[in-house]
Structure formats: structure tokens, C-alpha cells
Amino acid sequence: MAEKDLLPASITSNLGTHFIGQRVIYYPSLTSTMAIAKQEAQLGAVEGTAVIADEQTAGRGRIKRAWLSPKGNIALSIILYPSVVYLPSLIMLASLAVIHSIEAVTGLKSQVKWPNDILIDGKKVCGILIESSVRGNIVDYAIIGIGVNVNLRLSDFPEINPTATSLSDELGRDASRLSLIQRLLVEVEGLYLALQAGGSIYQEWRDSLVTLGKRVRVKSGKIIYEGIAESVARDGSLILRHSDGNLTKIVAGDVTLRN
Ligand code: BTN
């Protein structure tokens, strides 16, 4: 369907959420939805405000990487004001929301590569970026950024083709970005409310990790660790078992799965 499908009115009509996505700020093209969401959050935007773009010209990935974000993909940022105790759970929440939505809308099964990649058959279909401003125990705001390769022919993008995939390449046909965005907003709200009601999403997130039990190389800052990804802690850190039997707890890093 045409790009007009992503207009705010199309997204919010019959959305069925209480607050996530009830306000949508849409751009045909912009630098990064993260930048606009940050500005909006600093101005006190209502919780659940979603910033959506058809195309980003300076999409941001983790570790200061660029994120390729051409037309046909989903670029979405959601503004939240969570309590500080929920911050570590946001990456789990976002990952599960993406996996649930992809399966509900396309039937495709996906998995999480710690900490924030969503893979289909070992190839990256979605990246998630969480940015927050925290002062002491006060969270000014947190922004969940989700980029999904939806209707993208990877053969047109040789720079990411070996390691990435898209829903359309997997399906052999286009997928509805509108349905995916609506489902994502519903899933994020459901999981966020469940978390605040005392529910745990840790176990399901842990079960969806492709990383556990695998031999991995993890780049964390300037340090490179190697070992078996043994477990994940409730705060989201990766527990790595080295060949000498020692364990390292890694809070943030970039994982390469080894054979
Ligand atoms: C990563 O895998 O490194 C994270 C990629 C996150 C991309 C999304 S697209 C929507 C939002 N806006 C951005 O500039 N980045 C995030």
C-alpha cells in the first residue's frame, strides 16, 4: 500500500491502546526519530508519543554507528517516563514487542541476539536503541527506538546484505508497515503495563535469546572477551564463561556468534 498509510490518523484509528501511539508525530523524511523524540520529551510530550519516519537521513545505531533507514522500512521512537527500576527491562520489553509483532503480522519467527538485535535465521531484521536521561534516581525520559527492515530488497544494499535480512525478502512479498507499527504499539503498551503491574518479562526474553549456549566474541568498549554465553542476569547483562572456567558479567557489548 502507499506511504500515506503511515499518516498519524491511519495509525491511531482503531489502535486500541490507552496511551502508547495515541499521539503520533510523522515525517516523510528526517534525520533521526531519536533526535525528534528527545526534543519532544524535553518539552514534556505526553507519555507514549511516537515519532515515525518513512525515511531517516541520519539514522542512529548503537555505539555511535549509523543505521540505514531507507523508505520501506519502519523507523519508530516511543517516549516513556518509567521509574528507574524499569530501565533495564526496556530492552527486553522492546525485543519481545518486536518478536511478537513480526510473528503476529507475518507469521515469521525471530530471535534476539544479545543485547539488541532481532534476527531471522541468523540475519538481522531489526535493531533497537534505548536512550535515556537519568539524574540520580529520576528518569527524565527514556526513548525506545525501533528500526525494522520491512520492504527492503537486500540485494540493493550490498553494505549490509551479508548480515541483514528484511521481512519482504523472507516472505517473498511486501508486508504491511501499518499493521506492524500498530501491533508494535499495542505490544509495547501491554508489556509496559504488565511490567508496572509487577509481571516479569525476563524469562520470556531469556528464552528468546539465540545467544545462550553459543561460543561468542564480545566487544565491550576496547575489551574483547571470548567464551560461552552461559546466561543473562535479570538486569540484562550477559554472563560469559571463559575457557579457564572464570565468569565475566558484561553490561554492554557487541556479540559475534562463533562456530
Ligand atoms: C542498532 O542495531 O544499532 C540499533 C538501531 C536502531 C535504529 C532505530 S530506527 C528508529 C530509531 N531512530 C534512529 O535513528 N535509530 C533508531
Side-chain angles (χ1 to χ4, degrees):
M1 294 286 278
E3 297 296 337
K4 68 177 165 49
D5 275 353
L6 293 191
L7 291 176
S10 314
I11 293 169
T12 52
S13 72
N14 303 319
L15 182 60
T17 62
H18 295 288
F19 60 105
I20 302 284
Q22 285 300 327
R23 178 174 175 232
V24 172
I25 305 171
Y26 162 77
Y27 293 83
S29 179
L30 89 166
T31 51
S32 162
T33 56
M34 297 308 275
I36 301 295
K38 180 176 174 182
Q39 278 174 22
E40 288 289 328
Q42 286 169 335
L43 293 170
V46 64
E47 183 164 51
T49 296
V51 182
I52 294 174
D54 273 327
E55 171 192 50
Q56 297 180 112
T57 53
R60 305 210 290 245
R62 282 176 65 238
I63 333 173
K64 300 208 165 107
R65 290 191 185 129
W67 176 257
L68 192 70
S69 196
K71 280 193 189 352
N73 279 359
I74 287 175
L76 161 71
S77 293
I78 302 171
I79 299 171
L80 299 176
Y81 302 108
S83 149
V84 73
V85 293
Y86 301 126
L87 274 187
S89 302
L90 293 186
I91 186 64
M92 306 179 197
L93 178 161
S95 302
L96 290 177
V98 170
I99 287 178
H100 293 169
S101 303
I102 288 178
E103 182 160 12
V105 174
T106 69
L108 293 168
K109 302 248 187 237
S110 53
Q111 286 182 300
V112 183
K113 189 183 87 165
W114 185 91
N116 76 324
D117 293 347
I118 307 298
L119 309 185
I120 296 180
D121 281 339
K123 290 189 156 192
K124 183 161 172 173
V125 70
C126 166
I128 298 166
L129 182 65
I130 312 281
E131 290 182 348
S132 57
S133 167
V134 184
R135 283 176 295 153
N137 274 339
I138 305 296
V139 179
D140 294 328
Y141 61 82
I143 299 168
I144 296 179
I146 299 174
V148 190
N149 297 337
V150 183
N151 298 323
L152 190 74
R153 251 199 340 230
L154 264 300
S155 52
D156 294 340
F157 296 91
E159 62 273 44
I160 57 167
N161 192 10
T163 54
T165 190
S166 68
L167 297 179
S168 61
D169 274 6
E170 295 295 324
L171 290 168
R173 59 174 166 81
D174 278 1
S176 163
R177 290 186 306 152
L178 178 62
S179 304
L180 273 161
I181 288 173
Q182 288 182 317
R183 189 66 192 224
L184 273 169
L185 297 168
V186 167
E187 291 286 341
V188 166
E189 180 167 296
L191 290 163
Y192 189 53
L193 291 176
L195 200 63
Q196 289 174 328
S200 170
I201 56 175
Y202 162 78
Q203 194 59 47
E204 190 190 348
W205 174 71
R206 189 183 190 288
D207 291 345
S208 69
L209 286 166
V210 69
T211 322
L212 297 191
K214 300 257 167 64
R215 177 165 294 283
V216 295
R217 170 180 288 176
V218 188
K219 189 164 185 297
S220 181
K222 290 193 172 139
I223 306 176
I224 293 179
Y225 301 98
E226 286 203 355
I228 305 285
E230 184 157 297
S231 184
V232 277
R234 285 187 174 270
D235 66 2
S237 328
L238 183 70
I239 314 288
L240 197 68
R241 172 83 62 182
H242 301 283
S243 50
D244 63 5
N246 285 333
L247 292 173
T248 301
K249 186 174 173 181
I250 304 170
V251 177
D254 208 27
V255 168
T256 311
L257 301 175
R258 319 281 290 164
N259 288 330

